[in-house]
Amino acid sequence: MGRTMAAKIWDDHIVAAREHEPDLLYVDLHLVHEVTSPQAFESLRLNHRRVRRPDLTLATMDHDVPTRGGRAAADELAERQMSALEENCRREGIRLYGMGNARQGIVHVIGPELGLTQPGLLIVCGDSHTSTHGAFGALALGIGTSEVEHVLATQCLRQRRPKAMAITVEGALPLGVTAKDVALGIIARIGVEGGRGHVLEYRGSTIRGLSMEGRMTVCNMTIEGGARAGVIAPDDTTFAYLRGREYAPAGDQWDQAVDRWRALATDPDAIFDREVSIDAARLEPYVTWGTNPGQSVPVSGSIPAPSTETDERALQYMALEPGTAIEAIAIDRVFIGSCTNARLEDLRVAASVIRGHRVHPKVRAMVVPGSASVKRQAEAEGLDALFREAGFEWRDAGCSMCLGMNPDILGPGERCASTSNRNFEGRQGSGGRTHLVSPPMAAAAAITGHLVDVREFN
Amino acid sequence: MEPFTRVTGILAPLDRVNVDTDQIIPKQFLKRIERTGFGPFLFYDWRRNGDFILDRPAYRGASVLVTGANFGCGSSREHAPWSLLEAGFRVVIAPSFGDIFKSNSFRCGLLPVEFRECLLNGWDEVALTLRDETEIARYEADRSTELPRTA
C-alpha cells in the first residue's frame, strides 16, 4: 500500500521504533526563540549537557521584541529573555538573528525566506504555529519547552505516529477570497478540535493554485483546527520560491534536491484516515465573531444566535448581539501582522486596498512586517510610504499584537480587525476583542471604521 | 453513571505489561446479558492460581490500579472495564492502553490515566533518549550531507 507524504517523511526520520513506545525521530531543523527556550537551556546546563547539533539549530527574537523604539523600548522581563537567548546561543555556538540583525523576524517567516525550510525536512520549534513550514512539504511540529530541551540535547524527538487527514479544496477562489479565508473556512468545517491527532494534508486545485505565501497562511492555521501539523506537496511553485535563497541547495545539488522533493508526494493508493472535501466556489471572506477561530461567518452575514453555552459566553465577551450585521460592527484598531499574514504578499494586497484612502479617524491601525527582510522589501516598493500616508503606523518586525507580549496590545473593550490567528479572550490585550480577517479585509476595515465586505469596497 | 469527581482509596500495583482483555475477563464469563456480574471474575485465571497480588489483604478494596504498558489490549470486550469497575476500581494508571479499552473505559466510568514510563521510574527523558546514542549516531552518519545547516 502507498504512503502519505507525512508518513514518508516520518519514516525517513525514524532513529528507533519500538513497540508500545513513541518513535524516536531525527530533527533536521530546530528553530528557537526567546520565550520558550530559556528554561530548556537552563536545564541543559544543570545537567551538564551541551547542544548536540548547533549547526541544525537557528535562533531569532520575535515574541516579545518591541516594534518601535528598538531594544531600549523593551520592558525589563523581555530584555532579560533576549539577553538570555544571546548568552545561550553564544555559549552553545548557535546562530542567532537577534534584534537589529538584518535577518531577524518571526521565526516562521524567516525559516522559509532564508530557504532553510525545505521539503522533506522534519522541523520543530517551541511554538504551535510551526505548522506554517508544512507549506513546503516539510513535517513541522510545534513542541513544548521540555521537548525543546530534549531536541537541543539529542537532536531527536519522541512522538507517536499521527493519523492522516486529507483536506481537498477544489476550484478557483472567488474574488476577494484569500488563503486566510480558505483556512477559516476549513476550521469552520472541521471545528477547532476536528484535526486532533492528525496531520492534515491540504490538496486539490485551489491549494495548488496558491502562492507559497498563501500556502503558509493555510498551514499556519492548521493548529487552530487542532491538528498536529499540516503539509502541502511541494511542486514547481515551491521550487521557484526556494531557488536562489541563502540556505537553499545550489548547483548540481539543486537538481538532486528537486528530484528528491518530487518523490515526497502522497502515493496515489495511499489511504487517509479521514477525508474532507471543500468547494472553493462556496468560500467567502470570513470574519470571526467569537473567541475561537472556528466561530466565523461570511462577512455578508450576521452574528448567529448562540446554540451553546460556549457561544453565549463568546458573544458576551465580544459584546455582540445575535442578528447584528457583521458590516455594522465598528472597530477601534487594525492589526496587519503575525506569522499568519505578514509576508510581503500580504502587505502588497493590503496596500492595494488602501491606495487612495485614509484610515478612519476613530481607528488606530498598524502594520508589523513579519521580518526585517519583509520590511526592507516593502520599503523598497514604497509600501511603507503608502501605509504611513494613509495613517497606518509602520513598525519593526515581530509577533507584536498577535499575542501582545510586547507593548503592542489592545485596551480593555477595544475591538480589533486582525490578520492574526487567534481570537482567544484577552489574547491581544486584556478585555480586547479580536475579529480575525484576511489582510484586504483588515485594510478595508481600517478605512471605513467598521467591518466591511472587501468585495464591495473598491 | 457515577460522576467522576474524586477518588480516594488504595492503590494496587499489577506489574505486568500487555495485560489483555482476555486476562481481565476470560471469555467464558461474557455470556451475561447484563452489564453487571463480571466483578467476581476479574483476572479469573490469575486469581485461580493463588497468591495473586490483588488478593493480598493490603490491596483489598483497592480503587486505583497501577500497571504496565498496553493495558487492555486485544479483544474489544467492554466487559473488561465493567469487571474492573465492579471490583471497585475507578482508575487505571498505565504507560499506555489498548485503544479500544481506553475508549470503552471513558464510556463506562473508568478513568484510564496514561502515565509515561519516564514519570513512573523518575527518569530524565533526555537521559532515556541518550541510551539510544548508537542509533542516533548511526542515523547521523547516514544522513545526507546536502541537507541544510545553519552554521
Side-chain angles (χ1 to χ4, degrees):
Chain A
M1 194 180 72
R3 292 181 298 165
T4 64
M5 179 166 56
K8 290 182 190 182
I9 301 174
W10 188 279
D11 292 343
D12 280 349
H13 289 86
I14 293 177
V15 171
R18 297 188 185 92
E19 216 182 347
H20 310 314
E21 281 183 28
D23 290 343
L24 189 63
L25 303 172
Y26 200 82
V27 173
D28 293 311
L29 177 63
H30 184 189
L31 299 167
V32 171
H33 64 82
E34 76 279 23
V35 173
T36 57
S37 67
Q39 297 85 351
F41 282 109
E42 184 198 29
S43 188
L44 276 191
R45 265 197 310 281
L46 292 173
N47 288 291
H48 310 288
R49 290 179 178 132
R50 301 300 303 267
V51 173
R52 184 181 182 95
R53 295 296 301 266
D55 62 329
L56 302 181
T57 310
L58 181 75
T60 190
M61 297 172 182
D62 56 4
H63 276 61
D64 55 20
V65 301
T67 58
R68 65 176 170 194
R71 188 150 167 177
D75 65 56
E76 199 182 323
L77 291 174
E79 175 52 43
R80 245 183 98 205
Q81 283 193 327
M82 289 191 268
S83 310
L85 184 63
E86 283 171 334
E87 173 60 18
N88 288 329
C89 288
R90 192 194 53 72
R91 186 183 301 115
E92 296 293 343
I94 294 169
R95 191 179 290 272
L96 167 66
Y97 296 144
M99 263 198 96
N101 189 291
R103 294 175 180 79
Q104 175 267 343
I106 305 177
V107 65
H108 310 309
V109 175
I110 69 168
E113 73 186 10
L114 290 167
L116 269 171
T117 300
Q118 295 174 16
L121 299 188
L122 183 73
I123 299 176
V124 302
C125 175
D127 187 277
S128 62
H129 291 110
T130 307
S131 58
T132 311
H133 306 265
F136 291 79
L139 187 61
L141 303 165
I143 59 178
T145 295
S146 294
E147 288 173 308
V148 169
E149 177 195 345
H150 189 275
V151 177
L152 289 172
T154 67
Q155 201 58 28
C156 293
L157 184 68
R158 280 187 188 281
Q159 288 281 305
R160 289 183 194 278
R161 189 184 282 265
K163 293 183 193 167
M165 189 189 306
I167 307 264
T168 306
V169 192
E170 293 285 359
L173 283 180
L175 190 70
V177 175
T178 67
K180 180 64 161 287
D181 303 301
V182 173
L184 288 170
I186 291 168
I187 297 161
R189 171 79 171 274
I190 68 171
V192 290
E193 53 181 351
R196 184 180 289 164
H198 291 77
V199 171
L200 310 191
E201 181 176 331
Y202 300 101
R203 32 194 356 210
S205 60
T206 315
I207 302 297
R208 284 195 299 276
L210 293 174
S211 65
M212 287 317 295
E213 287 84 349
R215 294 178 190 188
M216 284 188 255
T217 300
V218 171
C219 285
N220 172 276
M221 296 285 286
T222 298
I223 194 73
E224 312 314 332
R228 209 61 198 87
V231 291
I232 294 173
D235 59 9
D236 290 340
T237 304
T238 320
F239 309 147
Y241 177 99
L242 278 171
R243 188 159 204 162
R245 288 188 187 262
E246 189 175 348
Y247 288 90
D252 291 347
Q253 292 195 355
W254 171 260
D255 293 329
Q256 288 162 22
V258 170
D259 287 345
R260 212 168 56 230
W261 296 342
R262 284 195 198 280
L264 290 167
T266 292
D267 296 325
D269 58 341
I271 292 170
F272 288 92
D273 298 287
R274 196 181 154 199
E275 300 201 41
V276 173
S277 290
I278 288 174
D279 178 3
R282 299 178 71 164
L283 295 173
E284 295 194 52
Y286 293 101
V287 176
T288 61
W289 52 265
T291 51
N292 76 50
Q295 293 170 318
S296 65
V297 287
V299 61
S300 54
S302 52
I303 301 297
S307 57
T308 63
E309 267 182 51
T310 311
D311 290 353
E312 273 174 39
R313 185 190 158 92
L315 286 182
Q316 200 174 13
Y317 181 85
M318 294 295 289
L320 292 169
E321 290 296 325
T324 308
I326 295 295
E327 294 195 274
I329 299 171
I331 52 151
D332 309 297
R333 304 282 296 267
V334 166
F335 173 63
I336 297 178
S338 86
C339 58
T340 311
N341 277 133
R343 286 168 285 267
L344 188 60
E345 180 182 277
D346 301 311
L347 304 194
R348 282 180 183 153
V349 175
S352 72
V353 172
I354 283 151
R355 197 178 299 276
H357 297 281
R358 284 201 56 79
V359 170
H360 190 277
K362 287 187 175 162
V363 173
R364 184 176 165 201
M366 61 198 277
V367 181
V368 183
S371 68
S373 165
V374 167
K375 185 171 191 242
R376 278 195 308 278
Q377 290 177 75
E379 287 172 353
E381 294 181 15
L383 301 186
D384 59 322
L386 197 149
F387 279 117
R388 278 203 178 104
E389 281 158 23
F392 275 84
E393 295 171 27
W394 178 254
R395 298 293 191 88
D396 295 326
C399 299
S400 178
M401 208 164 71
C402 175
L403 81 169
M405 276 191 79
N406 74 347
D408 308 336
I409 54 169
L410 294 180
E414 277 193 319
R415 190 178 294 282
C416 179
S418 177
T419 67
S420 56
N421 39 58
R422 287 182 178 146
N423 50 342
F424 298 160
E425 287 184 19
R427 165 108 173 161
Q428 295 195 289
S430 185
R433 297 169 179 144
T434 303
H435 295 277
L436 300 179
V437 291
S438 70
M441 287 279 289
I447 294 156
T448 58
H450 56 84
L451 294 166
V452 63
D453 191 341
V454 70
R455 292 170 296 188
E456 289 162 16
F457 176 73
N458 271 338
Chain B
M1 198 183 352
E2 199 185 330
F4 207 107
T5 48
R6 171 193 287 246
V7 171
T8 307
I10 296 165
L11 185 150
L14 178 63
D15 190 12
R16 300 191 190 203
V17 296
N18 300 324
V19 174
D20 59 72
T21 51
D22 276 88
Q23 304 312 314
I24 299 172
I25 179 90
K27 63 197 175 302
Q28 63 268 36
F29 304 112
L30 306 184
K31 291 175 181 157
R32 299 179 62 80
I33 57 166
E34 300 84 8
R35 283 171 174 260
T36 54
F38 302 104
F41 308 112
L42 177 70
F43 298 121
Y44 179 81
D45 288 335
W46 291 347
R47 298 193 117 127
R48 206 166 48 148
N49 294 336
D51 192 32
F52 185 55
I53 187 160
L54 300 186
D55 287 330
R56 292 185 195 163
Y59 301 122
R60 195 152 294 156
S63 53
V64 180
L65 185 69
V66 180
T67 186
N70 204 28
F71 184 83
C73 59
S75 142
S76 66
R77 63 191 68 168
E78 195 161 323
H79 313 67
W82 295 339
S83 63
L84 282 159
L85 278 165
E86 206 174 322
F89 289 100
R90 299 299 314 278
V91 181
V92 182
I93 302 175
S96 61
F97 292 92
D99 273 346
I100 306 175
F101 175 86
K102 186 161 135 187
S103 137
N104 285 340
S105 296
F106 281 122
R107 289 186 169 81
C108 65
L110 182 72
L111 178 68
V113 179
E114 271 190 5
F115 199 86
R116 296 272 167 90
E117 217 178 341
C118 284
L119 279 174
L120 210 55
N121 294 303
W123 285 335
D124 160 11
E125 199 175 1
V126 172
L128 193 68
T129 294
L130 289 174
R131 297 192 312 188
D132 282 331
E133 172 60 39
T134 317
E135 282 83 357
I136 299 172
R138 187 184 306 140
Y139 186 95
E140 276 178 335
D142 289 346
R143 202 170 164 270
S144 166
T145 52
E146 292 174 14
L147 291 168
R149 286 172 183 233
T150 58

